[in-house]
Amino acid sequence: MLSVFPVDTAKVEHIEISPANPDVIYYTVRSGDTGELYRSANGGRSFVRCTPPVGPSNAERIESTISLSGTDENTIWWAFRTGFSDHKVYQSTDGGQTWTNWSTNGLVGYVVSDMVHQLGTDGGVYLSCDDGHVFHRNRTSAA
């Protein structure tokens, strides 16, 4: 067994193994009225809870998706399915300890369904929504 979840009713939403360092694993879990992110730096032998970003409520974090950089195990994006447009997408470059809000007003009214980091770009991520819309942002895109 890799990990014992903090609550018996917890449901794992996403698991990502870092392409840059396979000892680093992240997973999101839905538990009760909140969603959390966990990180392992030792191949899954133990996990620690990542600090959630400032802004999204517990309810907004219930359903989420993650994507990892292909070249840096500490760079992760965390996107939330519901909530305000300015609480949708966050990036961490320190393994989930601190977060930068990548959300834009262009996400108003959209429900996030998935996200992927594009290798070979300047931190580019693609965000897909339930209605078929796709959004792109990288480090040099305007917020």
Side-chain angles (χ1 to χ4, degrees):
M1 178 182 315
L2 285 178
S3 179
V4 176
F5 301 117
V7 178
D8 288 342
T9 58
K11 294 182 173 134
V12 173
E13 295 270 306
H14 296 276
I15 299 172
E16 293 276 340
I17 299 170
S18 171
N21 180 352
D23 283 337
V24 176
I25 303 168
Y26 294 86
Y27 71 84
T28 63
V29 64
R30 180 180 359 174
S31 178
D33 63 352
T34 192
E36 304 293 347
L37 176 66
Y38 290 83
R39 181 182 193 270
S40 173
N42 57 18
R45 288 186 295 282
S46 63
F47 285 85
V48 295
R49 182 180 166 269
C50 296
T51 303
V54 174
S57 67
N58 286 350
E60 288 173 316
R61 291 196 325 262
I62 289 176
E63 293 183 61
S64 64
T65 186
I66 55 175
S67 187
L68 302 180
S69 166
T71 58
D72 179 2
E73 70 267 18
N74 291 312
T75 299
I76 181 171
W77 292 266
W78 194 4
F80 304 105
R81 185 165 170 76
T82 61
F84 296 105
S85 61
D86 60 346
H87 295 169
K88 292 277 191 187
V89 183
Y90 291 82
Q91 180 197 49
S92 176
T93 58
D94 57 12
Q97 294 177 44
T98 62
W99 297 92
T100 301
N101 191 340
W102 269 40
S103 306
T104 68
N105 288 333
L107 298 174
V108 172
Y110 292 103
V111 178
V112 174
S113 58
D114 204 2
M115 179 177 48
V116 65
H117 170 249
Q118 171 80 34
L119 288 172
T121 64
D122 188 18
V125 291
Y126 287 87
L127 188 71
S128 65
C129 298
D130 280 359
D131 62 358
H133 282 85
V134 175
F135 296 90
H136 173 264
R137 174 141 188 226
N138 64 27
R139 284 189 284 268
T140 58
S141 299

